[in-house]
Amino acid sequence: MMLENIFLSIFNMSITATIVALFVIVIRLILNKKLSKTFSYILWVVVLIRLIIPFSYYSKFSIFNISSVPSQIIKINKDSGGIQYISNGIEVLENPTINSLLPAPNPTASIDPVQVVTFVGSRIWFIIAISMLLLLVIAYIRTSSKLKTAIINKDKTIIDITEKCSKRLNFKRKIKIYTSEIVQSPVVFGLVRPKIIMPKLMLDTYDKETLSYIITHEIVHIKRFDYIIKPIMIIVLSIHWFNPIIWISFILASMDMEFACDEKVIKTWEDDIRSEYATSLINTAAIQNGIFGGGILAFGQSNINKRVSGIMKYKKPTLFLSGLAITILLITMIFTLTNRPPDILYENDEYGFSLTIPKSISDDINIIENSDVIYFTSKDVEEMFPEEVLGVIGRIEIYYKKNSTKEDLKELEEIYNLKYLGENDKYYFGWAIATDVQVPPEAPNQLKDKYRNLEEKFRDVIKTFKINKVNGLNNSKKLSGKHPIEPPPIIIIDETNPHTIGNYAILKTSWNGTMYDRLSFYQAAWNSEPTLLTGLHRPKPGEKFKIDFGDYLPDEVSVKMAYLTDSFNESLLPIVDIPVSNVEGIYEFINPSASKDSTVPTSGRVFSITATWDENICEYVFATDGKFDNWNE
């Protein structure tokens, strides 16, 4: 998984850098003729930082705040009752931009599409990136080998020119000029101790003024560390080879590097040297250095026409424009070098809604799904007072439209300030905060302050409430054929009750080649009585149940019912086989009539839904109240 994680991290940096690069390109186009080329060159450094550094600070001013993609998704695990985290890579990736580009993860699918994409993509990326880096190293070594023949120039005239150029630029490092018959134009060579290598013919034939322009140009590159930045740019390009925007950025950044250097040379002279400097550039560019590679800088090697045009049009920027450039640069850095604060999307597929919770408080809350009420509680309060029901920040209440109206919610608003949140085709949603004391008076002040802070933050959280498509019981045509890795959660609804039956147990019979030695569904109901018999529904005989398996339509479904009696080993009344029908992907069956044997007391009914996918078999067990059976009738 390490290679996949590295690839995802690189991919995420590439996507975020693309957004920054497009932002820079737009600014560059708008201000190209008004601001210094040095300004454009510095902007590309911001893109380079984004391509290299995988982390950043959080800011509400970040350009990435325009994205609504969550960092992470959480759902409640029906089997364990705990929170199930579904991440699109946020544990590896700090910025969630990638989440909108990859397929959604599916923890119950037999083959996760995200895993397939990352497995194949990571290996293709690695092979090409390594190949490009190897070619870069080979090119640099070959060029380095050829330039080793260069000899130091000890001509006093050239030494004096070099010292004067360094003094003009206030550059204190001593630069040595080398000569070579291999090169046709000046180059800067060396990563640790850079040196300028000049063609011997050029030193012998060019006048002092022209040589001053050329040497000053090369010293500017050294002073600005372009001889290091350029190879880094090429290395980064090799790593992000798959991104066309980064290729365009590399070309534009290389151009701006030279433009900025040309500008600096012109500004260094008090006199107007634009025409003379442009002529020296044209003359030097007439013969190209064909031997160079590996990111070595060469004078007059690229974009001659544009550079000459830029030189001739150059005007020294005014104080106002210089201040404007600095301001825009600072704003750009704030916008592009920071990330939006991460958040978590809580999704409830059963009822079809979601909430966005800031990451900064997500670790401090518990989410408790209790049938038709979703509680948000303070972990710290619960941990300090485990024997009491405290720490409730607020709750979302769900009302089935068949049994409730919007007017009912308005009445509840008058009773305990229930706020209407919205509705879909099946449910109304309301939000209520706790009306009684949720933090005992004896609790530490620090705990009280933290709880109040959560209450305050949830005022904004509840504003992110969003109605989604209901996954369960949507009566859309479903197709069989997708088989889950583990038994999927299901939705059980009694058609006359607005609330789903959320308490059920999953018993594996045979799964992935393993046979399970377990209790019968009746014994399991007895064993799980505290769980299954909490908040029981009381459907009448003849009422219909509906079962939704989501995207994992079983190959076969059967339903049985047993009466809960005083016996643990087996029911004292016969087990009833219940006919089941499939209506467009929703399984339906009728609650059987009451037992005719009134001599055996019953306390309820336990239902077993046996689902089969190929050779995988499991039972879903739930219970209902026995109010309508024999002695309770």
Side-chain angles (χ1 to χ4, degrees), residues 407-574:
E407 296 300 320
D408 295 333
L409 271 68
K410 289 182 179 179
E411 291 182 10
L412 294 175
E413 181 178 3
E414 296 176 0
I415 298 173
Y416 57 88
N417 202 27
L418 180 74
K419 299 295 184 183
Y420 172 78
L421 291 176
E423 62 186 88
N424 56 25
D425 58 340
K426 290 184 177 294
Y427 306 106
Y428 294 113
F429 301 95
W431 169 256
I433 59 174
T435 55
D436 52 352
V437 176
Q438 292 299 312
V439 183
E442 65 269 22
N445 289 333
Q446 185 178 0
L447 182 62
K448 294 178 181 177
D449 292 341
K450 194 170 184 180
Y451 174 81
R452 280 193 289 267
N453 179 60
L454 289 175
E455 278 189 315
E456 186 71 26
K457 290 291 181 65
F458 253 83
R459 293 180 183 176
D460 293 327
V461 169
I462 202 62
K463 293 177 183 177
T464 68
F465 180 88
K466 182 180 178 183
I467 303 293
N468 302 327
K469 181 180 178 181
V470 184
N471 282 353
L473 299 179
N474 57 11
N475 289 326
S476 62
K477 184 67 177 176
K478 299 182 180 181
L479 301 176
S480 61
K482 293 179 66 176
H483 291 180
I485 295 175
E486 292 292 332
I490 63 174
I491 296 174
I492 309 171
I493 282 188
D494 164 16
E495 67 174 352
T496 61
N497 195 305
H499 308 307
T500 61
I501 299 176
N503 298 324
Y504 60 83
I506 300 178
L507 309 176
K508 292 180 182 178
T509 303
S510 172
W511 205 270
N512 293 336
T514 302
M515 297 295 295
Y516 290 84
D517 183 13
R518 60 171 179 76
L519 300 173
S520 69
F521 77 89
Y522 177 84
Q523 293 169 333
W526 263 89
N527 214 33
S528 304
E529 185 172 352
T531 302
L532 292 181
L533 302 187
T534 300
L536 284 183
H537 287 224
R538 293 180 175 139
K540 296 179 181 180
E543 291 183 358
K544 184 184 294 183
F545 286 101
K546 295 183 178 182
I547 314 297
D548 189 352
F549 287 87
D551 293 331
Y552 301 97
L553 197 65
D555 301 327
E556 186 178 343
V557 173
S558 61
V559 179
K560 294 182 178 181
M561 186 274 287
Y563 295 98
L564 287 171
T565 64
D566 293 336
S567 171
F568 166 75
N569 290 325
E570 61 182 18
S571 177
L572 298 178
L573 292 170

Side-chain angles (χ1 to χ4, degrees), residues 88-315:
N88 287 356
I90 192 62
E91 300 305 325
V92 178
L93 314 174
E94 188 169 88
N95 195 286
T97 306
I98 187 176
N99 295 1
S100 61
L101 303 175
L102 290 177
N106 196 338
T108 56
S110 56
I111 299 179
D112 195 329
V114 174
Q115 294 177 351
V116 175
V117 171
T118 54
F119 180 84
V120 176
S122 62
R123 278 142 184 84
I124 295 174
W125 163 78
F126 182 75
I127 291 171
I128 297 178
I130 289 296
S131 299
M132 293 181 67
L133 290 171
L134 284 174
L135 289 174
L136 173 64
V137 171
I138 292 171
Y140 186 86
I141 292 174
R142 290 181 62 184
T143 303
S144 176
S145 177
K146 291 179 180 180
L147 292 178
K148 282 182 179 179
T149 59
I151 58 175
I152 190 168
N153 186 287
K154 296 182 179 180
D155 187 300
K156 190 175 185 306
T157 302
I158 301 302
I159 293 174
D160 289 343
I161 292 174
T162 305
E163 289 178 352
K164 288 181 181 179
C165 292
S166 296
K167 190 175 181 180
R168 284 178 182 275
L169 295 168
N170 195 26
F171 187 61
K172 302 186 183 303
R173 193 193 312 176
K174 190 173 182 180
I175 299 296
K176 294 180 180 181
I177 304 295
Y178 287 72
T179 60
S180 173
E181 294 182 353
I182 296 177
V183 300
Q184 284 79 44
S185 63
V187 297
V188 175
F189 176 71
L191 295 176
V192 179
R193 294 179 179 177
K195 52 191 176 184
I196 300 172
I197 302 177
M198 303 278 288
K200 187 176 184 305
L201 182 64
M202 181 180 292
L203 293 177
D204 294 339
T205 58
Y206 279 30
D207 61 78
K208 292 182 181 180
E209 203 65 30
T210 302
L211 288 174
S212 296
Y213 303 151
I214 295 171
I215 292 173
T216 301
H217 180 100
E218 302 306 321
I219 294 175
V220 171
H221 275 312
I222 295 173
K223 185 177 181 180
R224 292 180 172 178
F225 298 98
D226 291 341
Y227 63 95
I228 294 176
I229 294 174
K230 185 68 174 285
I232 290 175
M233 287 166 56
I234 297 176
I235 291 171
V236 170
L237 181 65
S238 301
I239 294 172
H240 296 267
W241 60 263
F242 52 85
N243 191 334
I245 300 299
I246 302 306
W247 283 89
I248 295 172
S249 299
F250 171 77
I251 295 170
L252 294 177
S254 299
M255 290 170 53
D256 287 342
M257 176 188 287
E258 294 300 330
F259 292 157
C261 198
D262 292 336
E263 281 189 354
K264 183 62 178 177
V265 174
I266 296 172
K267 285 197 296 184
T268 302
W269 265 261
E270 293 182 0
D271 299 330
D272 186 355
I273 63 166
R274 290 179 297 172
S275 179
E276 293 85 350
Y277 181 68
T279 301
S280 68
L281 186 65
I282 294 171
N283 292 337
T284 306
I287 302 175
Q288 296 293 320
N289 281 316
I291 69 166
F292 295 125
I296 294 175
L297 291 168
F299 182 84
Q301 281 285 98
S302 60
N303 301 293
I304 300 303
N305 292 337
K306 290 185 178 180
R307 287 176 63 185
V308 170
S309 176
I311 290 168
M312 298 310 297
K313 293 178 181 178
Y314 171 75
K315 294 180 181 179

